[in-house]
Amino acid sequence: MIETEGLRKVFSAGEVETIALDGVDLSVEEGEFVAVMGPSGGGKSTLLNLLGLLDGPTGGRYRFLGEEVAGWGERRRAALRKRSIGFVFQSFNLIDELTAWENVELPLLYLGVGRRERRRRVEEVMGRLGILPRRDRFPQQLSGGQQQRTALARAVVARPRLVLADEPTGNLDSAHGDEVMHLLAGLNGDGTTIVMVTHSPTYAEYARRIVHLVDGAVVAEDIAKRPFARG
């Protein structure tokens, strides 16, 4: 599904250049659950942004679903992103003026899905994640765990092939963090490919493989020692 070769990202501010990614080679098979770990400032979020087509690389190659996408412009990246990729962020990124239902429904509106099918899909995913009874509440009326479940429902309602999660438990206590990780493991058990950035060695063990990123480069890869039950 994902294959990068020599992937680079350099940020420039005047005469100062910062190398965020320095020749990353990474392969992720369809159906895998991969955790990315490393120190702050090591390039983890930058890598996730490039894999999610939110930004383009400075150099190197990136093949997604068999297509070379490294040189694509924003319009082409956005079209592929809407069809194939879901995002879960540490800060939830819910829209305060929309109810939980409306937040989850939003990706389907962007895709032009009909009203009846939208209702069916939103009801199904919110029911599965246990937030359907809170469908009419606004984000500020939800607990942190409920907000993250709503964000997760929004990420998967369009049935993306790939879910990218950037510190999805970072703002949650351990009980809610465990809950979100079990939900991600369940999605992976159903066949969704997941790439997750995390600082937690415990949560990294939910993945099948752990990639260690330091100073913008992959320095090691490990097979998770105790993969959690999937599904």
Side-chain angles (χ1 to χ4, degrees), residues 134-147:
R134 293 164 177 79
R135 55 177 289 169
D136 295 323
R137 295 190 182 182
F138 292 93
Q140 60 270 25
Q141 297 172 316
L142 301 172
S143 69
Q146 291 164 353
Q147 288 186 62

Side-chain angles (χ1 to χ4, degrees), residues 116-220:
R116 181 176 296 180
E117 178 65 9
R118 288 202 312 269
R119 179 181 179 85
R120 189 186 69 79
R121 288 201 201 180
V122 174
E123 195 168 77
E124 177 185 1
V125 73
M126 292 187 77
R128 178 178 178 186
L129 296 181
I131 50 175
L132 192 56
R134 293 164 177 79
R135 55 177 289 169
D136 295 323
R137 295 190 182 182
F138 292 93
Q140 60 270 25
Q141 297 172 316
L142 301 172
S143 69
Q146 291 164 353
Q147 288 186 62
Q148 191 60 295
R149 278 186 282 167
T150 301
L152 184 55
R154 181 185 58 188
V156 302
V157 70
R159 300 171 183 167
R161 305 271 291 276
L162 171 67
V163 168
L164 299 174
D166 193 354
E167 291 284 356
T169 63
N171 286 330
L172 303 176
D173 59 30
S174 58
H176 286 128
D178 291 347
E179 181 180 83
V180 167
M181 290 308 305
H182 281 297
L183 291 170
L184 286 172
L187 290 169
N188 181 242
D190 289 339
T192 303
T193 306
I194 296 176
V195 179
M196 175 187 70
V197 163
T198 182
H199 281 103
S200 168
T202 299
Y203 290 150
E205 293 293 342
Y206 279 77
R208 294 177 177 177
R209 183 160 52 103
I210 304 170
V211 174
H212 298 272
L213 196 67
V214 177
D215 293 334
V218 174
V219 296

